[in-house]
Amino acid sequence: MAFKQLHIALIASPGIGHLAPLLSLGHRLATTHNLRATVLAVTTTISPAITQLLTSLTTTNLSVIQIPAADISAVIPPDAKIVTQLCIMMRETVPAIRSTISTMASGPHALIGDIFSTDSWLIAEELGIPKYVLVTGNAWFTSLFIYSPVLDKQVVGQYVDQKEPLEIPGCKSVLPEDVVDPMLNRDDETYGVYLAQSVGVTLADGVLINSWEDLEPQSLDALRNNEVLRSVIRCKPVYTVGPVIKGYEPDGAERSGVKNKVIEWLDKQPNRSVIYVSFGSGGTISVEQMKELACGLELSHQRFIWVVRTPSGQVSDGSFLKTGQSSGLDGPCGYLPEGFLGRTEKIGLVVPSWAPQVEILDHVSVAGFLTHCGWNSTLESIMSGVPMIAWPLYAEQKMNATMLTEVLEVAVRPAALPTVKVVGREEVAKMVVDLVEGEKGKTMKMKVDMLKESGNKAISENGSSYVSICKFIEDCRSRCH
Ligand code: UDP
C-alpha cells in the first residue's frame, strides 16, 4: 500500500533528557524527511523549561500532545528509585496514550518510544503497526543495556565488587565502578525493573540510537555484526540518528530575563575564557561538594557561569522529575560559601536552577563545560566544539565520562568518582586551569572540533545518520501493510 505521507508517533517519558531528543528527532523527521510526526510527551510537573521546549519546535508536519503522567503514588513508595518510578509511570500511562492515539484523525503508521516506553509496544501491536525504540544514550550504553540479562546469568555477586571489567562482546568492556545506576545493587527492586526494561527494548522492530558511525564505530559494529549481541538484540536493525540535539530556547516571556542576562554577560567576556558548570536537568550535589566546587572555581581565577541547584544530602538525580523548577525556599545560592558571590562577581555569574544551555555552549566566550555527562549535554558540548570536565553523577554517566576521557579524549576528570569522594577545591581549580589555559585544553579543543565536524557531516544530506534515517523510513514503510 502506498502512503501519501508516513505518520510517526513518538512517545517520550517524563524528563527533559528523554523529551528533548524525541522532540528533536520528530522535528528532523518532519522537516528534513518530510514525514508527519506527533510527539506524545508524558509529563509530570509542567515547568517553564518543559513548556518552552514543547512550544519551541512547532512546524507544519509536527504536532506535540502533552499527556499527564499517571498518578503512581498508590502503586509504589514515594522513595522508589527514578528508573522504577519512570517505568511504572509509563506503564500506568498506557491507557491515556492509547486513548490519545485513538482520537487522532489519522492514526500513526509506526511508534517510536524511549527505553521507558516499552509497555506501549502493546498499543502498536493492537494497531498492527511497527514499533521502534530510540535509545537517548549512546551505542556503548545500548550494548551494556541489552546484554545485562546475559551478565545477570554469568556474574556472581555484585557487579561493583568484580575484580575484572565486565566483558561486552565486541565492545569496550565496562569497569565495575562504571555500571549504570540500576546495576549498582542487584538486590534492589530497580535491578529487576531494569532487566525487564532491557528485554522490552529487544522486542522492538528496530533500534534507533542518538549517536553516529564515526563517533562509536566499535560499539555500532558489535551491535550489528557480533553474533552474541545480534542474538541478544534478536537481530533487529540498528539505526544511527545522531547527533540529535535540541535547539536554542525560544524567547518565552518567563525565560527571556535569565537568557538575556546570561548572553549579555557572555558577550562581555573574552573569547574562550569561560567555564560553564551544570549538572543537567536533575543533578544535585552535596552541601560539602558545593562548597569545594565554589572554592575551586574561585581558586582557579577563571571566569565561570554556574547553574546552581539546591544541594541534596548526597549526589543524586534528586530533581530529575522537577526539571527546570526553582528549588528551595531560600534559593540555591543560600548554600554557597559566605561572601562567594561578592568575591567572584567580576569573573562569575551564578544562575539559579536553569540556564539556556545550548546558547551558552555555542557562545564564543565559552572555553569548557564542567558537566555531569548526561548524553544530551555531552552531545551539545561536542556539537559546540567545547571540551569538558567530566563529573558523572547518575544513570549511565560514568560510562559516558570514561568514553569522553579515554576513548574520545575530549575531557579531563577528577581522580576519583565524584559519587564516591568529594572532589577537593585544588583539584577543581587544576582541572579548570588545565582546560582553559593548558596544553591539554588545546589538544582537547582540537579533538572536539573534529568530532563536531564529523557530527555535522553525519546529519547532512547523504551523511551516515541521514542515510540511516532513510533506511529506517524504508523499513517502516515495508512493515506497514
Ligand atoms: N538543560 C538546560 N538548562 C539547564 C540544565 C539542563 O537547557 O540549566 C538541558 C540540556 O541542554 C540538556 C538536558 O537539559 O538538553 C539535560 O539532558 P542530559 O541528558 O544532559 O541530562 P539529564 O538531565 O537527562 O540527566
Side-chain angles (χ1 to χ4, degrees):
M1 178 180 145
F3 292 104
K4 268 195 191 148
Q5 192 181 35
L6 204 64
H7 177 200
I8 301 201
L10 300 97
I11 305 172
S13 62
I16 222 149
H18 307 141
L19 177 59
L22 262 298
L23 204 53
S24 302
L25 177 64
H27 187 260
R28 190 172 298 164
L29 293 174
T31 51
T32 313
H33 298 273
N34 199 30
L35 309 188
R36 223 179 103 213
T38 304
V39 176
L40 305 170
V42 178
T43 48
T44 47
T45 45
I46 307 302
S47 65
I50 295 276
T51 308
Q52 291 242 312
L53 190 62
L54 290 176
T55 51
S56 64
L57 291 176
T58 43
T59 173
T60 328
N61 285 337
L62 176 73
S63 329
V64 179
I65 303 175
Q66 228 166 290
I67 301 180
D71 177 6
I72 52 166
S73 54
V75 187
I76 53 167
D79 59 349
K81 300 260 167 48
I82 197 80
V83 167
T84 305
Q85 284 192 51
L86 285 171
C87 285
I88 305 292
M89 198 175 271
M90 288 307 285
R91 186 189 72 198
E92 299 292 309
T93 309
V94 167
I97 298 173
R98 180 188 285 116
S99 94
T100 304
I101 291 178
S102 72
T103 58
M104 288 177 182
S106 67
H109 301 111
L111 286 188
I112 299 178
D114 62 27
I115 63 171
F116 294 97
S117 305
T118 55
D119 281 306
S120 292
W121 296 167
L122 194 60
I123 304 173
E125 277 150 27
E126 289 161 6
L127 295 171
I129 59 174
K131 67 260 180 209
Y132 300 84
V133 63
L134 171 68
V135 180
T136 55
N138 56 47
W140 188 33
F141 158 72
T142 309
S143 315
L144 172 70
F145 183 44
I146 60 153
Y147 195 61
S148 293
V150 180
L151 286 175
D152 183 57
K153 295 201 181 75
Q154 286 176 348
V155 177
V156 179
Q158 295 291 355
Y159 296 111
V160 279
D161 296 335
Q162 300 304 306
K163 298 280 173 281
E164 297 298 325
L166 303 166
E167 303 278 344
I168 315 290
C171 297
K172 180 178 166 60
S173 42
V174 178
L175 292 174
E177 64 186 22
D178 279 359
V179 292
V180 296
D181 276 7
M183 292 175 79
L184 289 174
N185 180 3
R186 294 175 79 170
D187 301 325
D188 193 290
E189 47 128 58
T190 295
Y191 178 62
V193 172
Y194 166 78
L195 291 181
Q197 199 190 3
S198 161
V199 173
V201 161
T202 64
L203 298 177
D205 293 305
V207 181
L208 282 62
I209 305 179
N210 193 4
S211 189
W212 65 99
E213 302 297 332
D214 290 344
L215 189 74
E216 295 190 274
Q218 187 188 359
S219 302
L220 286 166
D221 180 56
L223 281 166
R224 294 197 181 110
N225 301 315
N226 182 283
E227 267 178 42
V228 183
L229 278 193
R230 292 289 297 147
S231 76
V232 179
I233 208 170
R234 298 166 205 241
C235 298
K236 302 296 165 55
V238 171
Y239 303 101
T240 48
V241 298
V244 179
I245 56 171
K246 74 178 166 74
Y248 283 12
E249 292 212 348
D251 293 326
E254 247 175 296
R255 298 252 132 197
S256 55
V258 177
K259 183 171 150 180
N260 291 345
K261 189 173 160 199
V262 170
I263 302 301
E264 274 165 24
W265 186 87
L266 275 172
D267 285 344
K268 293 190 199 118
Q269 312 308 317
N271 282 2
R272 292 205 10 82
S273 67
V274 177
I275 281 279
Y276 168 57
V277 182
S278 174
F279 299 106
S281 64
T284 52
I285 54 177
S286 66
V287 177
E288 192 188 354
Q289 183 62 82
M290 195 158 165
K291 189 169 164 208
E292 288 305 305
L293 179 51
C295 295
L297 288 171
E298 193 177 345
L299 204 62
S300 77
H301 301 293
Q302 302 298 321
R303 294 174 171 80
F304 65 87
I305 292 185
W306 182 5
V307 184
V308 176
R309 195 164 288 143
T310 302
S312 60
Q314 52 179 23
V315 285
S316 74
D317 48 19
S319 52
F320 190 82
L321 289 174
K322 300 176 209 134
T323 296
Q325 291 200 314
S326 62
S327 40
L329 282 178
D330 305 329
C333 298
Y335 295 88
L336 292 167
E338 218 181 311
F340 172 79
L341 289 176
R343 289 193 302 277
T344 57
E345 77 182 341
K346 292 214 167 64
I347 58 161
L349 183 67
V350 165
V351 183
S353 300
W354 195 257
Q357 177 160 309
V358 177
E359 276 123 309
I360 293 175
L361 287 169
D362 243 6
H363 199 285
V364 68
S365 301
V366 172
F369 182 12
L370 191 158
T371 171
H372 76 317
C373 303
W375 191 238
N376 294 292
S377 295
T378 301
L379 291 183
E380 287 158 10
S381 200
I382 289 176
M383 294 313 290
S384 294
V386 174
M388 289 157 262
I389 294 173
W391 192 296
L393 296 179
Y394 55 93
E396 87 296 6
Q397 294 153 11
K398 285 169 266 180
M399 288 177 77
N400 297 348
T402 296
M403 179 171 158
L404 288 172
T405 49
E406 287 179 15
V407 183
L408 303 174
E409 298 176 328
V410 293
V412 288
R413 67 186 295 181
L417 278 171
T419 43
V420 174
K421 188 170 169 276
V422 170
V423 187
R425 60 191 73 181
E426 286 81 12
E427 194 174 13
V428 171
K430 182 171 178 340
M431 289 188 296
V432 171
V433 173
D434 279 355
L435 188 60
V436 180
E437 294 188 334
E439 279 311 306
K440 199 158 187 189
K442 284 193 193 118
T443 313
M444 291 196 300
K445 170 68 181 153
M446 236 168 56
K447 290 193 171 164
V448 82
D449 279 343
M450 281 160 62
L451 291 182
K452 174 182 171 179
E453 203 185 311
S454 89
N456 277 326
K457 205 169 138 204
I459 52 174
S460 61
E461 201 169 339
N462 295 324
S464 57
S465 293
Y466 177 92
V467 170
S468 195
I469 293 180
C470 293
K471 285 190 183 147
F472 153 71
I473 294 170
E474 267 170 45
D475 187 65
C476 247
R477 286 194 199 280
S478 71
R479 285 173 195 273
C480 300
H481 36 74

